Amino acid sequence: MKFKTIIEPFRIKVVEPIRHISEAERAAALEAAHFNLFLLKAEDVLIDLLTDSGTGAMSSGQWAGMMQGDESYAGARSYYRFDEAVHEITGLKHVIPTHQGRAAERILFGSLVQPGEMVVNNTHFDTTRANVEYRQATALDIPIPESKHSQLVHPFKGNIDLEALERLLTEHREKIPLVMLTVTNNSGGGQPVSMANIRGASAICKQHGVPFFLDACRFAENAWFIKTREEGYADKTPMAIAQEMFSYVDGCTMSAKKDGMANIGGFLALNDDALAQQCKNMLILTEGFPTYGGLAGYDLEAIAVGLHEALDEDYLRYRTRSVAYLGDFLNKVNIPIVQPPGGHAIYIDAQAMLPHIPQHEYPAWALSLVLYLEGGIRSVEIGSVMFGQQPDGSEKPAAMELVRLAFPRRVYTQSHFDYLAEVLAYVGERRERIRGVKIVSSPPVLRHFTVQVAPAHGTLLT
Ligand code: F0G
């Protein structure tokens, strides 16, 4: 290419105002939210990087599709469009819409997982783990050892440990009803999984007769990393790569709020006829009839279009470059991040950045609060507040203390990224002044959503 600047591959047709509020107002908002960023009013946030889930901008093509939504209770045309889009990409036989990813998880695990069993994954996302544990089963994470070292550069740090998988299936086959692979590995830093690893895990599962599923939320970003990092894929389209990824699995759960480019929606897709029937029966209980699964017809249309747009090369190049751009900057200003940057987010290693804050004072939570206080940026802690609480009520520190800056799709432009870089550099220069936090009150499960927190030493910043 003659010019090297990678631009946002879209024009902006509709805008949504965002506003600055003063630092004093942000401090008051934090107090009112019990120092929990989930409890803030979104309008008090300037740049919202809480999640890339359901927060993307839809395209004119998606809005046009929505106008054609068929709201029939059963057999709607929109369902068949949705089914065709999912089937083209995944090749899976039964496509069951759900209102979002975790509903697909609940229905799948409700049909397949019994108390005392064990689900194996590279790394379970929080809702996935919670849905396994809700079945009184164990959620076991076996990522490759490289994934535990935040600074280590590895092209496919999301890979599952194939030796550990083989060992587990040899020793405990009867206890393992399914194996999952999360692409990209969100809780492990948004790291991709290689095609070789998907193929390897699939072969091991097949050999032991265990169903193998993808948690496919960010399948398109994963396909892009395979294209750009794995030998033999440079000339393949993201669509062809995605199709190969899915060719190795018996099914998948999907949150269409990520690479479905939609604001709501998800699905469960699988090949097994009997299991699909069982899942559809459960779907009817809580989600809806199998041709809408808790979604409006127009949502199904938005997803059908969005799944294709997520596989567009210009889009994927711009998307991954935006994240890498911020990552390169943070490397320069010496803010430790999980290397290399993932597809949808930057993960700051708060333990490495704030060595003076002990893990029991939740350094990543504290850092996320300071980013809001200083710059109006909302991020999310992926550390011991999110993962430290054990099913028996005890506390165990998380493997890493991360702050995730997750980027909504097609929402922020390069100047937003430049602002972010400036705030992060400013906070980075003042890192010694950040102080830890303590938990004041906590719900029994998934505590990060509603936990109440306070500064452990009277103030967040000295
Ligand atoms: N699996 C993964 C890997 C996820 O990242 C998520 C959601 C889900 C499953 C559940 O999907 O939200 O549609 O029910 N992740 C969001 C996030 C919430 O912020 O990373 P859902």
Side-chain angles (χ1 to χ4, degrees), residues 50-53 100-103 105 125 127-128 182 184 186 215 217-218 255 257-258 265 344 404:
L50 182 66
T51 178
D52 63 321
S53 181
Q100 59 184 80
R102 67 198 68 181
E105 293 162 9
F125 186 64
T127 60
T128 322
T182 305
T184 56
N186 186 6
D215 176 340
C217 296
R218 300 177 180 85
S255 168
K257 301 171 73 172
K258 283 85 169 174
H344 68 296
R404 184 185 73 172

Side-chain angles (χ1 to χ4, degrees), residues 256-307:
K257 301 171 73 172
K258 283 85 169 174
D259 280 348
M261 307 290 252
N263 298 127
I264 195 72
F267 55 84
L268 169 63
L270 70 171
N271 281 331
D272 186 283
D273 296 335
L275 181 60
Q277 194 51 49
Q278 210 180 332
C279 290
K280 283 182 194 173
N281 294 342
M282 280 188 64
L283 186 84
I284 292 173
L285 274 183
T286 56
E287 295 281 299
F289 190 74
T291 61
Y292 74 90
L295 294 171
Y298 54 67
D299 295 323
L300 295 168
E301 297 277 351
I303 298 167
V305 177
L307 285 169

